[in-house]
Each structure stands twice: as structure tokens, then as C-alpha cells.
Amino acid sequence: MLAARNAFRSSAVMLALFVSACGYSQEEWDQKVRENESLRDQLTTQRQAHKKCEADYAAALQQIDELKRQLTERGVNLENMSASLAEQRKALEEYARRTEQLDAIRKRFEVLQQKLQKLTQLGLQVEVRNNRMMIRLPGDVLFDSGSDKLKKEGNDILLQVAEVIRNDADLSKRNFQVAGHTDAKPLAGGTFKDNWGLSAMRARSVTVLLTTPSSEKVPGGSLTPKNWSAAGYADTDPVSTNETDEGRKKNRRVELVVQPNVEEMLNLKSLAK
């Protein structure tokens, strides 16, 4: 027992001499030992965490493989599904782009309608019918029964219409069609032979006045001829019944139809309200 005690004391003395020889105090040496043990514990913890991450990753891969297997058994093709999702995303992007275009077109038509509303002050109607925006002029105001010669009142109204269109930079560049319409009463012979001839010649008379250069001797609308055309519809496009005098009066008319551009071909029913 005494010998063991002497050996322990001898070892402690030697350790103290070693620590002293290395330039560290016993307290500093103990601190270094504790720091080393702490770093060893941290390393052990990190290794354990790394092993757990590897195990979790392997488990996730197994779950994915199992899901793929189950989907395949149910007839679901993952490659086709990815392609379908890509196509749907592309379709949604195209829909958003077209929606923006249509919204811009709609706004242009709303501005156009507001400009044409000035003509309502002349007692004319501006409306959207059959997806076309048009200015309606009463036929009985423009012409005498069975005639294609403009009356003075009709002549004056058309010159005011031309002035509104001519003085607007946008309207003056638009294309218009002058459409002549009659009621359903047959035309008995005469110069025009039938309602086709009468409606066409009335449309021609209006178009000529609107596109004739104005002068002191011959007043005209001075609108650009290449932007205008004329057509006769006879009684094929009534807006009212032909069974009453009031209905036939509404059907006898001339319309200035705004021709849409190709990109403006959309449903304008909402603008008719």
C-alpha cells in the first residue's frame, strides 16, 4: 500500500515536471484538456447528425420510389404529367397575353364610342348591332320617298357628321361603309327597279357627299375616299317590324358602319349597353 502511494506521488511529480517543462501551468493544461474533450464531443455530435441526414435522405428516396411505383400501377405516366403541366402553364400565359390584348382593344372601342357620341347631339343614333359599331341616320330625313337625291336637311346633317369625323385624328383614319336599307314594300318599277337598286343608290349618294372635296360652289364632306365604301341591303336587315308604319319608318335608314381592323374582331355586346 505504501509502495503504491509512493508510485502515485512519483507519477504526479513527473506530470507536474512535464507540464512545467512545456511552459504551461497545471491550470492552463487542464483548460486545454477540457477544450479538447469539448471539441471531441462536438465532432461526435456532428457525425451522428450527418448519419441521421443520410438515413433521412435514403428514406425519402425510398418513399419517392414507392410513390412512383404506385402511380405507375394506377396508369399515371409521370413524364406525360410533366408535359401536361408545362402545356397548361403555356396556355395560361397565352390566355393572359390575349386578355391584355383584348382589354386594350376594348378600351380603344370605348374611346371610339365616346367620340361618336358627339353625333347624338345631331339627333343621330350611335349603337353596336351585330357586333358592328354604327351611326344610324333616318332615311326619311335624308330622302323623299322613292328618291336617292338628298334633301337639304339630310345634306346639312351629313356635312356636320363629316365635320366631326374629319376633325378627329382617329376617326378620320378609320374605314367606314355606308349601308342603305329600305322597308319591305316592293318598289314598283321606276329608275331603281327594286329595293336593291334604291338602297344601293342611296348609299352611293351619301358616300359621294361625304367624300366630295368642299368648295364655295359645291360643299362636300372632304373625307378620304379610300376609307369609304357603299352597299345596298334592300329590306334584308330590318331593325323593326314591317307590319306597321312606324316599324317601316325605322327600317328606311342609312347607316355609317365603322369597319373594325382584323385585331379588333371581338364581341362588342357589352359596349351596346
Side-chain angles (χ1 to χ4, degrees):
M1 185 70 169
L2 180 62
R5 185 178 300 170
N6 290 334
F8 177 78
R9 289 177 178 174
S10 178
S11 298
V13 170
M14 292 179 65
L15 179 60
L17 291 173
F18 176 76
V19 169
S20 176
C22 291
Y24 294 102
S25 67
Q26 180 65 42
E27 184 179 351
E28 290 175 335
W29 178 263
D30 292 341
Q31 177 64 28
K32 292 296 181 182
V33 170
R34 287 194 296 272
E35 291 177 357
N36 184 57
E37 290 176 348
S38 176
L39 290 174
R40 185 168 57 250
D41 292 342
Q42 292 178 18
L43 178 61
T44 300
T45 301
Q46 291 178 356
R47 285 175 176 172
Q48 292 174 348
H50 179 68
K51 288 182 179 179
K52 185 177 185 306
C53 287
E54 288 182 336
D56 291 344
Y57 178 70
L61 289 179
Q62 289 180 353
Q63 291 179 356
I64 292 173
D65 290 340
E66 177 62 19
L67 287 173
K68 287 182 177 179
R69 184 188 65 77
Q70 292 177 7
L71 290 172
T72 301
E73 289 179 353
R74 289 172 171 79
V76 177
N77 189 316
L78 294 178
E79 293 182 358
N80 290 343
M81 182 180 293
S82 298
S84 177
L85 290 174
E87 291 175 357
Q88 291 179 16
R89 184 164 50 251
K90 183 178 179 181
L92 288 173
E93 292 173 353
E94 178 66 14
Y95 175 78
R97 185 183 67 82
R98 289 182 177 273
T99 299
E100 290 179 359
Q101 290 179 338
L102 292 178
D103 186 57
I105 293 171
R106 184 176 298 281
K107 288 179 180 178
R108 289 203 300 270
F109 265 97
E110 289 173 349
V111 171
L112 176 61
Q113 188 180 38
Q114 292 173 1
K115 292 179 177 180
L116 292 177
Q117 286 296 337
K118 298 176 183 178
L119 299 175
T120 60
Q121 299 173 5
L122 304 177
L124 308 180
Q125 288 182 283
V126 178
E127 61 180 21
V128 174
R129 190 170 62 85
N130 296 333
N131 208 37
R132 298 180 301 173
M133 187 175 293
M134 59 186 65
I135 307 162
R136 183 183 298 177
L137 301 96
D140 292 352
V141 174
L142 300 179
F143 305 98
D144 287 325
S145 178
S147 172
D148 69 331
K149 183 178 180 180
L150 286 163
K151 297 194 296 186
K152 184 180 185 307
E153 181 183 0
N155 197 87
D156 294 342
I157 290 178
L158 286 172
L159 290 179
Q160 293 180 69
V161 172
E163 182 179 4
V164 171
I165 296 175
R166 186 176 62 250
N167 292 334
D168 188 283
D170 180 52
L171 291 178
S172 62
K173 296 177 183 177
R174 303 288 306 210
N175 291 326
F176 288 81
Q177 182 189 76
V178 180
H181 300 270
T182 69
D183 59 30
K185 279 189 174 183
L187 189 64
T191 305
F192 309 110
K193 297 183 179 180
D194 52 32
N195 283 327
W196 288 105
L198 178 61
S199 62
M201 292 307 294
R202 284 184 170 181
R204 176 188 178 279
S205 296
V206 172
T207 305
V208 169
L209 176 64
L210 293 175
T211 59
T212 295
S214 185
S215 65
E216 293 182 1
K217 294 183 178 180
V218 182
S222 300
L223 298 176
T224 306
K226 68 177 182 179
N227 294 342
W228 291 80
S229 61
Y233 288 82
D235 60 336
T236 62
D237 187 22
V239 293
S240 185
T241 178
N242 277 296
E243 301 302 319
T244 64
D245 290 340
E246 185 63 26
R248 288 190 291 270
K249 182 179 179 180
K250 291 180 180 179
N251 290 332
R252 295 191 296 269
R253 69 198 190 277
V254 172
E255 295 169 339
L256 309 184
V257 184
V258 182
Q259 300 296 293
N261 299 323
V262 175
E263 68 272 13
E264 295 174 342
M265 297 295 187
L266 79 164
N267 195 319
L268 300 178
K269 288 182 179 179
S270 62
L271 298 182
K273 298 180 181 179

